[in-house]
């Protein structure tokens, strides 16, 4: 089965701009036939998205994005797990508790840098969803502490110094195990963000394949043509399925990222 798909997107359940229903409507308008909602550390927006997909005739896949302990840019997507997903729920509860504690550390960290970022404003932007770094970045921008969201991350929220206050993350093998326990498939997201030389990335894929990795996100907005060709070759070498994802958050969060319908073979997932 070949469908125009986008298998990596975010909603207001984590750090996206649009509600699950709004995202599904935008996906349909973009010509997407299969959409995965992959919020960070939560499955809270899935049922709203699934209902909207059923109403609009668009296939919506249950998804989640989990950051792994080994590298701050190592993210595992879980796709297609069941309506009941106790292993993922247990892991997400632990991750969410760590996020809830982290927001106070981020506020203190930014205060030490001379920025008064009221948590009430950050939480209002989150709208009841998980508080994440993009919410802090938006308040930093609105208060004039930075000139762009990119600057907020490059100077403060994605630095080596910042990593000392980061939240708990599970190892990649434990993320993969939880997703598999609930009947899902696992994907290494945006390999370009790791910044690894070819040999190191290949070694990582070999290790992840050994613990059950199912697929590689070969098509991604930041990938060059050469990178995409290399990732497709790696997927073939290691027997991994090919996925595509925009990592769409909405134009207020990631102004240069749009939904990305890409034709994919999805028999392995649907």
């Amino acid at each position: 089965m070949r469908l125009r798909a986008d298998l990596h997107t975010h909603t207001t359940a984590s750090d996206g701009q649009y509600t699950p229903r709004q995202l599904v409507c935008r996906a349909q308008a973009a010509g997407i036939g299969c959409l995965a909602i992959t919020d960070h550390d939560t499955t809270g927006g899935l049922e709203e998205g699934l209902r909207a997909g059923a109403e609009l005739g668009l296939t919506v896949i249950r998804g989640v994005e989990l950051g792994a302990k080994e590298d701050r840019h190592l993210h595992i997507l879980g796709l297609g797990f069941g309506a009941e997903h106790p292993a993922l729920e247990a892991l997400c509860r632990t991750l969410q508790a760590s996020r809830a504690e982290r927001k106070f550390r981020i506020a203190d960290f930014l205060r030490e840098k001379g920025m008064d970022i009221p948590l009430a404003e950050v939480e209002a932007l989150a709208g009841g969803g998980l508080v994440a770094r993009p919410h802090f970045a938006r308040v930093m921008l609105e208060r004039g502490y930075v000139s762009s969201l990119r600057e907020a991350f490059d100077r403060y929220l994605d630095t080596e110094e910042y990593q000392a206050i980061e939240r708990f993350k599970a190892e990649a093998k434990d993320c993969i195990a939880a997703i598999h326990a609930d009947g899902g498939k696992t994907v290494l997201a945006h390999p370009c963000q790791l910044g690894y030389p070819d040999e190191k990335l290949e070694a990582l894929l070999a290790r992840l394949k050994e613990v059950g990795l199912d697929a590689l996100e070969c098509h991604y907005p930041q990938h060059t043509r050469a990178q995409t060709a290399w990732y497709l070759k790696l997927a073939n070498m290691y027997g991994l399925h090919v996925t595509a994802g925009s990592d769409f958050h909405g134009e207020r969060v990631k102004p240069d990222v749009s939904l990305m319908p890409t034709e994919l073979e999805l028999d392995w997932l649907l």
Side-chain angles (χ1 to χ4, degrees):
M1 178 186 300
R2 298 190 69 84
L3 289 171
R4 286 166 61 82
D6 190 335
L7 302 181
H8 186 173
T9 65
H10 299 273
T11 77
T12 50
S14 61
D15 57 352
Q17 176 179 342
Y18 296 104
T19 67
R21 174 172 291 276
Q22 289 170 334
L23 175 64
V24 171
C25 291
R26 294 180 74 86
Q28 184 191 48
I32 290 168
C34 180
L35 177 77
I37 297 174
T38 55
D39 280 306
H40 299 283
D41 301 339
T42 181
T43 60
L46 296 182
E47 295 312 309
E48 178 184 332
L50 285 162
R51 289 193 297 272
E55 293 171 12
L56 296 174
L58 187 151
T59 299
V60 175
I61 296 175
R62 292 184 179 87
V64 71
E65 182 171 11
L66 305 174
K69 179 180 180 179
E70 291 89 339
D71 188 297
R72 71 178 187 264
H73 299 301
L74 175 52
H75 289 192
I76 302 294
L77 300 178
L79 300 177
F81 45 85
E84 301 296 324
H85 39 271
L88 263 175
E89 284 184 354
L91 177 55
C92 284
R93 281 195 299 270
T94 299
L95 298 172
Q96 290 164 18
S98 182
R99 281 182 177 271
E101 295 169 356
R102 181 187 64 167
K103 66 185 178 184
F104 299 104
R105 295 196 298 274
I106 296 177
D108 290 342
F109 173 77
L110 294 175
R111 192 173 299 112
E112 291 173 1
K113 303 296 181 184
M115 289 171 277
D116 180 23
I117 306 296
L119 275 177
E121 292 184 23
V122 177
E123 291 167 340
L125 277 178
L130 299 181
V131 171
R133 289 179 299 163
H135 301 124
F136 278 92
R138 285 171 60 188
V139 176
M140 291 163 70
L141 179 62
E142 289 169 3
R143 287 185 160 245
Y145 291 121
V146 293
S147 59
S148 67
L149 297 175
R150 186 69 267 159
E151 182 187 356
F153 281 87
D154 289 346
R155 291 187 63 189
Y156 302 105
L157 297 175
D158 197 24
T159 62
E160 289 297 331
E161 184 182 10
Y162 168 83
Q163 295 308 308
I165 66 165
E166 249 300 1
R167 60 189 175 83
F168 165 81
K169 294 180 182 179
E171 293 185 6
K173 65 179 178 60
D174 296 323
C175 296
I176 290 171
I179 294 162
H180 281 170
D182 292 327
K185 303 294 186 182
T186 57
V187 184
L188 175 62
H190 42 58
C192 69
Q193 291 191 9
L194 288 162
Y196 289 175
D198 290 350
E199 297 81 3
K200 185 174 181 180
L201 179 60
E202 189 172 347
L204 172 66
L205 280 178
R207 292 195 302 273
L208 293 178
K209 176 68 175 180
E210 287 180 357
V211 295
L213 185 72
D214 298 295
L216 180 62
E217 191 172 63
C218 298
H219 303 282
Y220 186 76
Q222 294 178 12
H223 291 171
T224 66
R225 287 186 180 181
Q227 285 174 322
T228 299
W230 171 233
Y231 302 147
L232 289 168
K233 182 177 180 180
L234 286 174
N236 184 60
M237 288 169 57
Y238 288 95
L240 298 170
H241 298 288
V242 171
T243 75
S246 62
D247 203 1
F248 179 78
H249 285 68
E251 57 276 4
R252 287 207 304 266
V253 183
K254 290 190 174 184
D256 56 343
V257 175
S258 301
L259 288 164
M260 189 179 80
T262 305
E263 189 168 304
L264 294 173
E265 173 53 62
L266 294 178
D267 282 344
W268 61 280
L269 183 58
L270 299 177

Short mmCIF file of all heavy atoms in Angstrom, two decimals, residues 66-71 74-78 87-88 91 95 168-182 184-188 204-214:
data_model
loop_
_atom_site.label_atom_id
_atom_site.label_comp_id
_atom_site.label_asym_id
_atom_site.label_seq_id
_atom_site.Cartn_x
_atom_site.Cartn_y
_atom_site.Cartn_z
N LEU A 66 10.09 9.92 21.51
CA LEU A 66 10.80 9.76 22.77
C LEU A 66 12.27 10.13 22.58
O LEU A 66 12.94 9.61 21.69
CB LEU A 66 10.71 8.31 23.26
CG LEU A 66 9.30 7.73 23.40
CD1 LEU A 66 9.38 6.25 23.75
CD2 LEU A 66 8.50 8.49 24.46
N GLY A 67 12.77 11.04 23.40
CA GLY A 67 14.18 11.35 23.40
C GLY A 67 14.95 10.28 24.15
O GLY A 67 14.50 9.81 25.20
N ALA A 68 16.09 9.88 23.62
CA ALA A 68 16.88 8.81 24.23
C ALA A 68 18.06 9.39 25.01
O ALA A 68 18.60 10.45 24.69
CB ALA A 68 17.38 7.83 23.18
N LYS A 69 18.49 8.66 26.01
CA LYS A 69 19.52 9.12 26.94
C LYS A 69 20.88 9.28 26.29
O LYS A 69 21.67 10.14 26.66
CB LYS A 69 19.61 8.12 28.10
CG LYS A 69 20.65 8.42 29.15
CD LYS A 69 20.64 7.36 30.24
CE LYS A 69 21.67 7.63 31.31
NZ LYS A 69 21.63 6.58 32.38
N GLU A 70 21.18 8.44 25.28
CA GLU A 70 22.54 8.37 24.75
C GLU A 70 23.03 9.65 24.09
O GLU A 70 24.22 9.95 24.09
CB GLU A 70 22.64 7.22 23.74
CG GLU A 70 22.53 5.84 24.35
CD GLU A 70 21.12 5.31 24.46
OE1 GLU A 70 20.16 6.14 24.44
OE2 GLU A 70 20.93 4.09 24.56
N ASP A 71 22.12 10.41 23.50
CA ASP A 71 22.49 11.63 22.78
C ASP A 71 21.26 12.53 22.76
O ASP A 71 20.15 12.06 22.49
CB ASP A 71 22.94 11.31 21.35
CG ASP A 71 23.52 12.50 20.61
OD1 ASP A 71 22.78 13.48 20.39
OD2 ASP A 71 24.70 12.45 20.22
N LEU A 74 19.15 12.12 19.74
CA LEU A 74 18.72 10.76 19.39
C LEU A 74 17.26 10.59 19.82
O LEU A 74 16.95 10.50 21.01
CB LEU A 74 19.61 9.72 20.09
CG LEU A 74 19.24 8.25 19.94
CD1 LEU A 74 19.04 7.85 18.49
CD2 LEU A 74 20.29 7.37 20.61
N HIS A 75 16.38 10.57 18.84
CA HIS A 75 14.95 10.47 19.11
C HIS A 75 14.37 9.23 18.42
O HIS A 75 14.68 8.95 17.26
CB HIS A 75 14.21 11.71 18.61
CG HIS A 75 14.50 12.93 19.42
ND1 HIS A 75 13.76 14.09 19.29
CD2 HIS A 75 15.43 13.18 20.38
CE1 HIS A 75 14.22 15.00 20.14
NE2 HIS A 75 15.25 14.48 20.80
N ILE A 76 13.54 8.53 19.15
CA ILE A 76 12.86 7.34 18.64
C ILE A 76 11.38 7.64 18.49
O ILE A 76 10.71 8.07 19.44
CB ILE A 76 13.05 6.14 19.60
CG1 ILE A 76 14.54 5.82 19.80
CG2 ILE A 76 12.29 4.92 19.07
CD1 ILE A 76 15.26 5.34 18.57
N LEU A 77 10.85 7.41 17.29
CA LEU A 77 9.41 7.51 17.06
C LEU A 77 8.78 6.15 17.27
O LEU A 77 9.31 5.13 16.82
CB LEU A 77 9.12 7.97 15.63
CG LEU A 77 9.66 9.32 15.18
CD1 LEU A 77 9.30 9.56 13.72
CD2 LEU A 77 9.15 10.45 16.05
N GLY A 78 7.64 6.14 17.92
CA GLY A 78 6.81 4.94 18.00
C GLY A 78 5.59 5.13 17.14
O GLY A 78 4.91 6.17 17.24
N ALA A 87 2.61 -0.09 28.46
CA ALA A 87 4.06 0.09 28.61
C ALA A 87 4.46 1.51 28.26
O ALA A 87 5.26 2.15 28.96
CB ALA A 87 4.81 -0.92 27.74
N LEU A 88 3.91 2.02 27.16
CA LEU A 88 4.20 3.40 26.78
C LEU A 88 3.63 4.39 27.78
O LEU A 88 4.26 5.40 28.11
CB LEU A 88 3.61 3.69 25.39
CG LEU A 88 4.56 3.55 24.21
CD1 LEU A 88 3.80 3.75 22.91
CD2 LEU A 88 5.70 4.54 24.32
N LEU A 91 5.98 4.58 30.74
CA LEU A 91 7.19 5.33 30.42
C LEU A 91 6.87 6.82 30.28
O LEU A 91 7.61 7.68 30.79
CB LEU A 91 7.81 4.80 29.13
CG LEU A 91 9.07 5.52 28.63
CD1 LEU A 91 10.15 5.58 29.70
CD2 LEU A 91 9.59 4.86 27.36
N LEU A 95 8.43 10.23 32.13
CA LEU A 95 9.00 11.33 31.36
C LEU A 95 8.26 12.64 31.62
O LEU A 95 8.88 13.70 31.72
CB LEU A 95 8.97 10.98 29.87
CG LEU A 95 9.77 9.75 29.46
CD1 LEU A 95 9.51 9.41 28.00
CD2 LEU A 95 11.26 9.96 29.70
N PHE A 168 15.09 13.63 32.79
CA PHE A 168 15.36 12.19 32.65
C PHE A 168 14.96 11.72 31.25
O PHE A 168 13.92 12.11 30.73
CB PHE A 168 14.57 11.40 33.69
CG PHE A 168 14.51 9.93 33.39
CD1 PHE A 168 15.57 9.10 33.73
CD2 PHE A 168 13.40 9.37 32.76
CE1 PHE A 168 15.52 7.74 33.44
CE2 PHE A 168 13.35 8.01 32.47
CZ PHE A 168 14.42 7.19 32.82
N LYS A 169 15.80 10.87 30.68
CA LYS A 169 15.46 10.19 29.43
C LYS A 169 15.83 8.71 29.57
O LYS A 169 16.82 8.36 30.23
CB LYS A 169 16.22 10.80 28.25
CG LYS A 169 15.83 12.24 27.93
CD LYS A 169 16.62 12.78 26.76
CE LYS A 169 16.27 14.23 26.46
NZ LYS A 169 17.06 14.78 25.34
N ALA A 170 15.05 7.85 28.94
CA ALA A 170 15.33 6.42 28.95
C ALA A 170 16.34 6.10 27.85
O ALA A 170 16.51 6.85 26.89
CB ALA A 170 14.05 5.63 28.72
N GLU A 171 17.02 4.98 28.00
CA GLU A 171 17.93 4.53 26.95
C GLU A 171 17.12 4.13 25.72
O GLU A 171 15.95 3.75 25.82
CB GLU A 171 18.78 3.36 27.43
CG GLU A 171 19.76 3.74 28.53
CD GLU A 171 20.66 2.60 28.92
OE1 GLU A 171 20.60 1.53 28.25
OE2 GLU A 171 21.43 2.75 29.88
N ALA A 172 17.76 4.21 24.57
CA ALA A 172 17.07 3.90 23.31
C ALA A 172 16.46 2.50 23.33
O ALA A 172 15.33 2.30 22.87
CB ALA A 172 18.02 4.06 22.14
N LYS A 173 17.19 1.54 23.88
CA LYS A 173 16.69 0.16 23.88
C LYS A 173 15.41 0.05 24.72
O LYS A 173 14.51 -0.76 24.40
CB LYS A 173 17.76 -0.80 24.41
CG LYS A 173 18.16 -0.61 25.85
CD LYS A 173 19.20 -1.64 26.27
CE LYS A 173 19.65 -1.45 27.71
NZ LYS A 173 18.53 -1.57 28.68
N ASP A 174 15.29 0.86 25.78
CA ASP A 174 14.09 0.82 26.61
C ASP A 174 12.92 1.52 25.92
O ASP A 174 11.77 1.11 26.08
CB ASP A 174 14.38 1.46 27.97
CG ASP A 174 15.43 0.67 28.75
OD1 ASP A 174 15.41 -0.57 28.66
OD2 ASP A 174 16.26 1.30 29.43
N CYS A 175 13.21 2.58 25.18
CA CYS A 175 12.16 3.22 24.37
C CYS A 175 11.62 2.23 23.35
O CYS A 175 10.40 2.09 23.18
CB CYS A 175 12.72 4.45 23.66
SG CYS A 175 13.29 5.78 24.73
N ILE A 176 12.52 1.55 22.66
CA ILE A 176 12.13 0.57 21.63
C ILE A 176 11.33 -0.56 22.26
O ILE A 176 10.30 -0.98 21.72
CB ILE A 176 13.38 0.05 20.91
CG1 ILE A 176 13.96 1.16 20.03
CG2 ILE A 176 13.06 -1.19 20.07
CD1 ILE A 176 15.32 0.84 19.43
N ALA A 177 11.77 -1.04 23.42
CA ALA A 177 11.08 -2.15 24.08
C ALA A 177 9.66 -1.77 24.48
O ALA A 177 8.72 -2.57 24.32
CB ALA A 177 11.88 -2.60 25.30
N ALA A 178 9.47 -0.56 24.99
CA ALA A 178 8.13 -0.13 25.41
C ALA A 178 7.19 -0.03 24.21
O ALA A 178 6.03 -0.45 24.28
CB ALA A 178 8.22 1.21 26.14
N ILE A 179 7.69 0.51 23.11
CA ILE A 179 6.87 0.64 21.90
C ILE A 179 6.50 -0.74 21.36
O ILE A 179 5.34 -1.00 21.01
CB ILE A 179 7.61 1.48 20.84
CG1 ILE A 179 7.76 2.93 21.34
CG2 ILE A 179 6.87 1.44 19.50
CD1 ILE A 179 8.82 3.73 20.60
N HIS A 180 7.48 -1.64 21.30
CA HIS A 180 7.20 -2.99 20.81
C HIS A 180 6.24 -3.74 21.73
O HIS A 180 5.40 -4.52 21.25
CB HIS A 180 8.51 -3.77 20.70
CG HIS A 180 9.29 -3.43 19.47
ND1 HIS A 180 10.58 -3.85 19.26
CD2 HIS A 180 8.97 -2.70 18.37
CE1 HIS A 180 11.02 -3.40 18.10
NE2 HIS A 180 10.06 -2.70 17.54
N ALA A 181 6.34 -3.52 23.03
CA ALA A 181 5.46 -4.20 23.98
C ALA A 181 4.00 -3.87 23.72
O ALA A 181 3.11 -4.68 24.01
CB ALA A 181 5.83 -3.82 25.41
N ASP A 182 3.75 -2.69 23.16
CA ASP A 182 2.38 -2.27 22.87
C ASP A 182 2.01 -2.44 21.40
O ASP A 182 1.03 -1.86 20.92
CB ASP A 182 2.18 -0.82 23.30
CG ASP A 182 2.25 -0.66 24.81
OD1 ASP A 182 1.83 -1.59 25.52
OD2 ASP A 182 2.72 0.39 25.29
N GLY A 184 3.74 -1.60 18.62
CA GLY A 184 4.14 -0.56 17.68
C GLY A 184 5.42 -0.85 16.94
O GLY A 184 6.11 -1.84 17.20
N LYS A 185 5.73 0.01 15.99
CA LYS A 185 6.98 -0.03 15.23
C LYS A 185 7.84 1.16 15.63
O LYS A 185 7.32 2.20 16.05
CB LYS A 185 6.70 0.03 13.72
CG LYS A 185 5.77 -1.07 13.21
CD LYS A 185 6.40 -2.45 13.34
CE LYS A 185 5.50 -3.50 12.68
NZ LYS A 185 6.07 -4.87 12.82
N THR A 186 9.15 1.02 15.47
CA THR A 186 10.07 2.05 15.95
C THR A 186 10.90 2.62 14.80
O THR A 186 11.30 1.91 13.88
CB THR A 186 11.01 1.46 17.01
OG1 THR A 186 11.72 0.35 16.48
CG2 THR A 186 10.22 1.02 18.24
N VAL A 187 11.17 3.92 14.90
CA VAL A 187 11.85 4.66 13.84
C VAL A 187 12.94 5.53 14.46
O VAL A 187 12.68 6.22 15.46
CB VAL A 187 10.87 5.58 13.07
CG1 VAL A 187 11.57 6.26 11.91
CG2 VAL A 187 9.63 4.81 12.61
N LEU A 188 14.13 5.54 13.87
CA LEU A 188 15.13 6.54 14.24
C LEU A 188 14.79 7.82 13.50
O LEU A 188 14.81 7.87 12.27
CB LEU A 188 16.54 6.08 13.89
CG LEU A 188 17.64 7.13 14.13
CD1 LEU A 188 17.73 7.49 15.61
CD2 LEU A 188 18.99 6.63 13.62
N LEU A 204 25.75 3.10 15.01
CA LEU A 204 24.55 3.30 15.81
C LEU A 204 23.38 2.50 15.26
O LEU A 204 22.65 1.83 16.01
CB LEU A 204 24.19 4.79 15.85
CG LEU A 204 22.83 5.13 16.49
CD1 LEU A 204 22.84 4.80 17.98
CD2 LEU A 204 22.48 6.59 16.27
N LEU A 205 23.18 2.55 13.95
CA LEU A 205 22.09 1.79 13.34
C LEU A 205 22.24 0.30 13.58
O LEU A 205 21.26 -0.40 13.84
CB LEU A 205 22.02 2.08 11.84
CG LEU A 205 21.35 3.37 11.42
CD1 LEU A 205 21.41 3.54 9.91
CD2 LEU A 205 19.90 3.43 11.89
N ALA A 206 23.47 -0.18 13.51
CA ALA A 206 23.71 -1.61 13.77
C ALA A 206 23.28 -1.96 15.19
O ALA A 206 22.64 -3.00 15.43
CB ALA A 206 25.18 -1.94 13.54
N ARG A 207 23.63 -1.10 16.16
CA ARG A 207 23.27 -1.37 17.56
C ARG A 207 21.76 -1.29 17.75
O ARG A 207 21.17 -2.13 18.45
CB ARG A 207 23.96 -0.37 18.49
CG ARG A 207 25.47 -0.53 18.58
CD ARG A 207 26.04 0.22 19.77
NE ARG A 207 25.74 1.64 19.76
CZ ARG A 207 26.47 2.55 19.13
NH1 ARG A 207 27.56 2.17 18.45
NH2 ARG A 207 26.15 3.82 19.17
N LEU A 208 21.13 -0.29 17.15
CA LEU A 208 19.69 -0.14 17.30
C LEU A 208 18.93 -1.27 16.61
O LEU A 208 17.90 -1.73 17.10
CB LEU A 208 19.23 1.21 16.76
CG LEU A 208 19.71 2.44 17.53
CD1 LEU A 208 19.22 3.72 16.86
CD2 LEU A 208 19.26 2.40 18.99
N LYS A 209 19.43 -1.73 15.48
CA LYS A 209 18.81 -2.86 14.79
C LYS A 209 18.84 -4.10 15.67
O LYS A 209 17.88 -4.87 15.72
CB LYS A 209 19.55 -3.11 13.46
CG LYS A 209 19.04 -4.33 12.69
CD LYS A 209 17.63 -4.14 12.15
CE LYS A 209 17.21 -5.32 11.29
NZ LYS A 209 15.84 -5.16 10.74
N GLU A 210 19.92 -4.28 16.39
CA GLU A 210 20.05 -5.44 17.28
C GLU A 210 18.99 -5.44 18.37
O GLU A 210 18.57 -6.50 18.84
CB GLU A 210 21.44 -5.47 17.91
CG GLU A 210 22.55 -5.89 16.96
CD GLU A 210 23.91 -5.90 17.64
OE1 GLU A 210 23.98 -5.53 18.83
OE2 GLU A 210 24.89 -6.28 16.97
N VAL A 211 18.57 -4.24 18.80
CA VAL A 211 17.56 -4.16 19.87
C VAL A 211 16.17 -3.89 19.32
O VAL A 211 15.25 -3.57 20.07
CB VAL A 211 17.95 -3.12 20.94
CG1 VAL A 211 19.21 -3.54 21.66
CG2 VAL A 211 18.09 -1.72 20.34
N GLY A 212 16.00 -4.01 17.98
CA GLY A 212 14.66 -4.03 17.42
C GLY A 212 14.22 -2.86 16.59
O GLY A 212 13.04 -2.77 16.23
N LEU A 213 15.12 -1.93 16.24
CA LEU A 213 14.70 -0.80 15.41
C LEU A 213 14.07 -1.29 14.11
O LEU A 213 14.60 -2.19 13.46
CB LEU A 213 15.89 0.11 15.10
CG LEU A 213 15.55 1.40 14.34
CD1 LEU A 213 14.82 2.37 15.27
CD2 LEU A 213 16.82 2.05 13.79
N ASP A 214 12.94 -0.70 13.71
CA ASP A 214 12.21 -1.14 12.54
C ASP A 214 12.43 -0.28 11.30
O ASP A 214 12.30 -0.77 10.18
CB ASP A 214 10.69 -1.15 12.84
CG ASP A 214 10.33 -2.11 13.94
OD1 ASP A 214 10.49 -3.33 13.75
OD2 ASP A 214 9.89 -1.65 15.02
#
